Amino acid sequence: MKPTNFWSAMADIGGNLKNVPQEILPGVLVYPNPTEVARAAARLFVDYAWQSISRYGRFFVALSGGNTPRMMYRLLASAEFRGQVDWAKVHVFWSDERAVAPDHPDSNYGMARSELLLRVAIPPANAHRMEAEKANLGRAANEYEEVLRKYLELDDRGFPRFHLILLGMGADGHTASLFPGTRVTRQTSRWVTTPMVAKLNARRMTLTLPVLDAALRVVFLVVGPDKAETLRAVLEGKAEPPFPAQQVQPRDNGVKLFLVDEAAAALLEPAAPRTAGSPRGKPAGTVRAKPGRSK
């Protein structure tokens, strides 16, 4: 069954208009609670999957870890959603991974596998995990670059272009495993890197900023009162040095959306209402994409 258009569906979630999101700022949609954020993300996943499969024949998505994605994965695996996706044509990758075995409780892959992949009809060969448990993490990162090269088309700057990248944001402003205090730069040809996260005294594997910027669509899921101050700073864009989450700016008219709950949005000032007939502004990275080629 083909899903209804996402924005039409938003007006009819459970038939309850109070759940229709408030676009408090362009590209920033506010929901009452984390459950509704997860539900909106699941609807977007379904909508984007249909668009990509219809246009390209496949849907390439990079997943993230965290509690809100966990709720989203459970919804996607539920009877309500799982039949709306042609899972045989979905390929899942990861935006980052901890240096642990895939069956470890902290594994992003392990969480997605137990909550989603084992519960839907996705071929096992379509799940491409980061093997960050390997002793030589640098070599494992090079091997993951080769996996990406095998499946994804490149943009005009030579970086792989995902149809969708899901991201979270920490209270410290990190996203994927790009943390404040680590070297976050667009001046790299690397697709996958293994930064040392000083505050955790551990290395991780992560997609680089140019790969995040190359995506057709980037969707941040941000919930909780501990994120409110950082979210405001990220959206205002005034922090120096900038937060990693602030630096993600999709190129070539890529979509950038924030799905946030009321607690995370508590410090945001709504955009001034438009005057009659005035055009709506389009902030960088928060506009509807013009899809590029992809396999």
Side-chain angles (χ1 to χ4, degrees):
M1 178 179 65
K2 188 179 186 301
T4 57
N5 176 269
F6 170 72
W7 299 109
S8 297
M10 287 297 95
D12 192 33
I13 299 176
N16 190 342
L17 292 178
K18 76 177 183 178
N19 290 328
V20 175
Q22 175 190 8
E23 190 170 14
I24 192 169
L25 296 167
V28 183
L29 305 177
V30 181
Y31 301 84
N33 52 59
T35 300
E36 293 303 324
V37 170
R39 179 171 294 277
R43 288 186 181 275
L44 266 182
F45 185 103
V46 169
D47 193 54
Y48 288 157
W50 272 97
Q51 291 179 30
S52 297
I53 292 169
S54 175
R55 185 177 180 94
Y56 310 117
R58 287 184 284 181
F59 177 47
F60 296 126
V61 54
L63 304 180
S64 63
N67 289 328
T68 306
R70 182 191 299 272
M71 288 189 285
M72 171 195 168
Y73 301 153
R74 286 177 179 172
L75 283 168
L76 285 171
S78 70
E80 179 182 359
F81 284 98
R82 63 174 178 259
Q84 298 187 53
V85 177
D86 187 351
W87 293 102
K89 297 177 181 176
V90 175
H91 285 256
V92 296
F93 303 80
W94 273 262
S95 60
D96 73 314
E97 184 57 278
R98 298 171 174 89
V100 296
D103 58 354
H104 191 282
D106 292 338
S107 169
N108 289 340
Y109 163 79
M111 185 270 282
R113 181 174 184 270
S114 63
E115 301 292 354
L116 175 62
L117 303 181
L118 291 178
R119 303 180 184 203
V120 297
I122 187 170
N126 288 13
H128 311 283
R129 75 177 185 90
M130 290 177 161
E131 297 182 342
E133 77 280 10
K134 288 187 173 180
N136 190 329
L137 196 56
R139 180 179 298 172
N142 290 335
E143 291 170 352
Y144 203 64
E145 286 194 11
E146 291 305 311
V147 171
L148 300 183
R149 195 175 300 277
K150 177 180 178 181
Y151 289 96
L152 299 174
E153 285 284 352
L154 308 186
D155 70 1
D156 58 4
R157 303 188 190 188
F159 291 97
R161 197 157 210 205
F162 284 95
H163 299 140
L164 171 64
I165 295 180
L166 293 167
L167 293 173
M169 187 194 77
D172 61 357
H174 85 267
T175 191
S177 282
L178 304 174
F179 282 77
T182 60
R183 193 163 178 262
V184 180
T185 177
R186 291 184 174 85
Q187 309 308 314
T188 178
S189 61
R190 293 298 307 271
W191 298 0
V192 184
T193 189
T194 59
M196 169 61 74
V197 183
K199 63 185 284 186
L200 304 174
N201 192 30
R203 301 194 79 86
R204 290 190 176 183
M205 188 183 297
T206 184
L207 299 180
T208 61
L209 186 60
V211 174
L212 302 183
D213 286 350
L216 291 178
R217 310 168 184 96
V218 175
V219 177
F220 282 85
L221 310 181
V222 184
V223 303
D226 60 321
K227 311 287 180 66
E229 186 172 345
T230 302
L231 180 62
R232 178 174 63 180
V234 164
L235 294 174
E236 288 178 347
K238 298 177 181 178
E240 284 296 338
F243 294 109
Q246 179 183 333
Q247 295 185 64
V248 179
Q249 293 294 338
R251 300 188 295 270
D252 303 324
N253 292 326
V255 173
K256 181 181 179 182
L257 291 176
F258 285 83
L259 309 186
V260 308
D261 71 348
E262 290 179 354
L267 300 180
L268 300 182
E269 293 292 334
R274 291 179 297 150
T275 59
S278 63
R280 183 171 186 160
K282 292 184 177 180
T286 316
V287 296
R288 186 63 64 179
K290 296 179 181 178
R293 285 196 316 123
S294 185
K295 289 182 179 178

